[in-house]
């Protein structure tokens, strides 16, 4: 599926092909919640980075978060590069050089209709804010940290691959 995205002010527009466009995974970590989360979580999709086309790239700024796990004495610098519009602050996508073939647009930046997922996966629940109400839905999957399947594996399990 071709994903068409943009920031709020229109300074950045992008397109990317996604074989895995269902917005099913809700991340409750503090980084996602604070940089992109409405409702206390953010939703990332998967895109084929080799197909990414960007208009207004000069209007993008990159943020690399520090990750502080409770069991670690010091935070570590994330390899993930969160892209934002430098004018309106809209979160656009995450790119991690460890996986150069992928980029992860935020569902909130996508302008065309996305398919509705048959179930949701809730991740990083150890870091959910106290005010966030995580819905308890039969069939949904819940993980204190990372899930046991990738975005591609979830789509395959659901029979939703292109």
């Amino acid at each position: 599926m071709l994903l068409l995205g943009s920031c709020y002010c229109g300074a950045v527009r992008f397109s990317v092909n996604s074989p895995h466009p269902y917005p099913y995974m809700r991340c409750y970590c503090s980084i996602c919640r604070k940089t992109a989360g409405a409702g206390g979580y953010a939703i990332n999709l998967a895109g084929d980075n080799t197909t990414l086309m960007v208009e207004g790239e000069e209007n993008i700024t990159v943020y690399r978060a520090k990750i502080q796990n409770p069991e670690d004495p010091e935070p570590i610098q994330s390899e993930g590069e969160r892209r934002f519009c430098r004018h309106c602050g809209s979160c656009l996508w995450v790119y991690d050089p460890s996986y150069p073939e992928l980029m992860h647009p935020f569902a909130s930046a996508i302008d065309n209709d996305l398919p509705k997922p048959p179930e949701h996966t809730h991740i990083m629940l150890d870091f959910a804010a106290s005010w966030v109400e995580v819905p308890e839905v039969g069939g949904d999957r819940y993980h204190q940290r990372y899930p046991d399947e990738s975005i591609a594996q979830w789509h395959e399990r659901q029979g939703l691959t292109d």
Side-chain angles (χ1 to χ4, degrees):
M1 175 178 182
L2 181 64
L3 303 179
L4 304 173
S6 65
C7 66
Y8 179 73
C9 73
V12 179
R13 297 188 184 287
F14 66 94
S15 65
V16 66
N17 286 321
S18 174
H20 310 114
Y22 282 76
Y24 76 95
M25 188 184 305
R26 297 177 177 183
C27 181
Y28 295 85
C29 81
S30 63
I31 300 166
C32 284
R33 176 172 39 87
K34 288 181 176 267
T35 62
Y41 59 86
I43 300 173
N44 292 324
L45 305 169
D48 176 353
N49 197 45
T50 64
T51 66
L52 178 63
M53 303 293 290
V54 180
E55 294 176 31
E57 193 160 357
E58 69 276 9
N59 299 309
I60 294 176
T61 190
V62 175
Y63 175 69
R64 288 181 54 216
K66 290 192 177 184
I67 299 171
Q68 179 65 64
N69 289 317
E71 62 273 8
D72 297 333
E74 297 292 325
I76 59 169
Q77 185 76 49
S78 171
E79 292 297 315
E81 300 171 0
R82 292 168 181 273
R83 301 254 187 325
F84 295 85
C85 173
R86 69 182 178 99
H87 298 291
C88 66
S90 295
C91 50
L92 301 167
W93 68 83
V94 178
Y95 169 77
D96 188 329
S98 302
Y99 307 96
E101 70 282 1
L102 296 173
M103 55 83 73
H104 297 284
F106 289 100
S108 56
I110 302 304
D111 296 320
N112 50 321
D113 289 338
L114 293 171
K116 291 185 180 178
E119 67 178 41
H120 291 96
T121 297
H122 306 264
I123 69 169
M124 305 303 276
L125 293 171
D126 279 348
F127 305 103
S130 62
W131 57 267
V132 173
E133 294 181 31
V134 178
E136 294 181 23
V137 178
D140 279 9
R141 294 182 177 203
Y142 299 85
H143 302 275
Q144 297 312 114
R145 299 283 176 102
Y146 292 104
D148 52 0
E149 64 184 354
S150 69
I151 293 174
Q153 290 168 331
W154 182 92
H155 280 76
E156 289 168 14
R157 180 172 58 80
Q158 300 291 335
L160 301 172
T161 55
D162 285 349

